[in-house]
Amino acid sequence: MRNSEHAGFQEAYNMSVKNKVVVITGASSGIGEASAKLLAKNGAKVVLGARREEQLKAIVADIKGDGNQAVYKVTDVTNPEDVKQLVALAKTQFGGIDVIFNNAGIMPSSPISALHIKEWDAMIDINLKGVLNGVAAVMPDFTSQKHGQIITTSSVAGLKSFPGAGVYGATKFAVRNLMEVIRMESAQEKTNIRTVTLYPGAINTELLNTISDTATRSGMDDLYNAVGIGPDAVARVVNFAVDQPENVNVSEFTIYPTKQG
């Protein structure tokens, strides 16, 4: 192998979590919190966004207390300007951005016939438009620097249909399509933007707290109590994805509890 070829090969493979700047939405609990702490432990510089300031403040204090780097900004992903400012904080504080993890989401599942229309709107605004706002916030930087990674939390409800989760699943199916199209378009445009879509199963987080439909909540509680696992399982997958070299796109991960059928 010629020296120039060897140098290019090494550059492609010398990537890791260490020193990457990672913006995370929905970072005040669950998968977002677990991912932030693991990435920071492994040397990433994390920028946390969510609506609950006290939780964000405590998480950042924990990360800094361990000698790692983190900042936060109160962020409502339904507000495009909020997400832009979160990305701007990453650039001001850490000099750039390498990854955005669009993790904010809600799951007020119910039968369509129950007509919880306000909850439908909220899911579309957060689960879909919130992701689009994240994409829009990083796309100019990722395009100009010709690298970047967009990680987004979908759901197993984005892979197959579940009664009681029609609108929730619709938002998660949409995210699945969006991420793959971004990956394909970036390859065509030679901007090297990588995408990762996560499909978690029964992961024990605060997500069930958003379900107002009594019958649906009861069934979900039974499932999660029987088979649910902690958000660290997803955080390890996020860390793996961020750790991949720039010439590798690991695009989809389904994360089930072993006991979940």
Side-chain angles (χ1 to χ4, degrees):
M1 183 181 291
R2 295 193 302 271
N3 288 340
S4 61
E5 290 177 341
H6 180 73
F9 180 88
Q10 286 298 108
E11 182 180 359
Y13 282 84
N14 283 343
M15 300 303 296
S16 71
V17 171
K18 187 176 175 63
N19 291 323
K20 283 192 174 178
V21 180
V22 183
V23 169
I24 304 174
T25 66
S28 61
S29 66
I31 291 169
E33 177 184 359
S35 298
K37 288 180 174 178
L38 181 59
L39 289 167
K41 179 181 177 181
N42 289 329
K45 303 168 184 177
V46 295
V47 182
L48 311 186
R51 291 177 290 188
R52 299 178 295 179
E53 184 167 18
E54 288 307 310
Q55 285 88 334
L56 288 172
K57 190 181 298 184
I59 294 164
V60 167
D62 285 346
I63 291 171
K64 287 185 172 181
D66 289 334
N68 301 312
Q69 299 185 69
V71 293
Y72 78 87
K73 188 174 193 334
V74 175
T75 305
D76 181 347
V77 297
T78 69
N79 183 339
E81 191 58 34
D82 273 15
V83 188
K84 287 180 183 177
Q85 289 179 11
L86 186 66
V87 172
L89 175 63
K91 293 161 65 177
T92 300
Q93 191 74 27
F94 296 126
I97 179 170
D98 299 296
V99 182
I100 187 167
F101 180 15
N102 296 306
N103 176 63
I106 59 172
M107 189 179 68
S109 297
S110 62
I112 299 298
S113 59
L115 295 178
H116 292 304
I117 295 172
K118 289 184 179 180
E119 292 180 350
W120 299 356
D121 290 340
M123 280 187 280
I124 292 167
D125 286 344
I126 295 172
N127 298 358
L128 180 53
K129 289 184 180 179
V131 171
L132 287 166
N133 289 339
V135 170
V138 298
M139 189 60 73
D141 289 297
F142 284 4
T143 299
S144 64
Q145 68 195 23
K146 295 195 183 307
H147 73 84
Q149 188 174 39
I150 301 172
I151 304 173
T152 300
T153 303
S154 176
S155 166
V156 292
L159 294 172
K160 56 185 179 180
S161 301
F162 294 92
V167 178
Y168 176 72
T171 64
K172 297 304 187 177
F173 266 92
V175 162
R176 177 189 183 191
N177 180 74
L178 174 65
M179 290 299 102
E180 179 63 4
V181 170
I182 291 171
R183 185 194 68 78
M184 296 171 71
E185 288 180 349
S186 176
Q188 293 172 351
E189 296 164 3
K190 303 187 187 310
T191 51
N192 309 310
I193 299 170
R194 299 177 296 154
T195 65
V196 181
T197 310
L198 307 174
Y199 306 105
I203 307 298
N204 291 322
T205 69
E206 297 179 357
L207 201 60
L208 297 190
N209 295 342
T210 64
I211 302 175
S212 67
D213 188 82
T214 305
T216 303
R217 176 62 189 267
S218 177
M220 294 295 281
D221 280 340
D222 289 345
L223 171 65
Y224 278 62
N225 287 336
V227 306
I229 56 175
D232 288 351
V234 183
R236 289 191 295 270
V237 174
V238 172
N239 187 85
F240 173 81
V242 174
D243 198 41
Q244 297 308 298
E246 290 290 330
N247 65 346
V248 175
N249 193 116
V250 286
S251 60
E252 294 187 304
F253 295 92
T254 305
I255 308 104
Y256 275 115
T258 303
K259 293 181 179 180
Q260 184 174 356

